[in-house]
Amino acid sequence: MTIQFSDRVVPYAVFLNDLADALAERIRKKDEPEYICQNEAFRRFGRSNVERWRDTGKIEPCKRTRKLEYKVSELQRLKDTKQDYFR
């Protein structure tokens, strides 16, 4: 079985897998806070990674009530980006 869109034809199984992935990602993001404290960022993404990204200016912490917080979407983007450590 296939589904026909205006620009292409997609097998039904591929369509369902892509839809399931998109829904799972949306649900995961819904439960995710927008900002996390520095200790949580260190735990999730690695202290050396977070400190390197901050020191190179790739991410800027937000100061709130005497705590440093980081935007989760930015941390995730940096984690997913291939890093060049030799620059």
Side-chain angles (χ1 to χ4, degrees):
M1 177 183 262
T2 61
I3 298 177
Q4 185 170 352
F5 294 97
S6 61
D7 59 342
R8 63 184 168 157
V9 175
V10 179
Y12 188 69
V14 171
F15 173 76
L16 283 181
N17 286 336
D18 289 349
L19 180 61
D21 290 344
L23 289 173
E25 181 70 18
R26 182 171 276 188
I27 290 169
R28 186 186 65 75
K29 284 183 178 180
K30 182 180 177 189
D31 295 336
E32 187 75 51
E34 187 175 1
Y35 288 89
I36 55 174
C37 69
Q38 181 168 268
N39 287 335
E40 181 66 15
F42 288 168
R43 187 183 71 73
R44 288 189 193 184
F45 299 95
R47 182 183 188 119
S48 60
N49 289 332
V50 174
E51 288 177 343
R52 182 178 59 252
W53 296 332
R54 184 188 62 220
D55 294 344
T56 58
K58 293 182 179 179
I59 192 165
E60 187 70 31
C62 178
K63 294 180 183 179
R64 296 184 184 190
T65 62
R66 298 181 290 183
K67 291 193 324 184
L68 291 178
E69 294 185 343
Y70 293 90
K71 194 167 187 174
V72 175
S73 61
E74 288 296 310
L75 290 168
Q76 190 65 44
R77 180 186 58 79
L78 289 168
K79 178 183 155 269
D80 294 339
T81 303
K82 183 177 179 183
Q83 303 292 317
D84 184 5
Y85 300 110
F86 297 110
R87 282 189 189 188

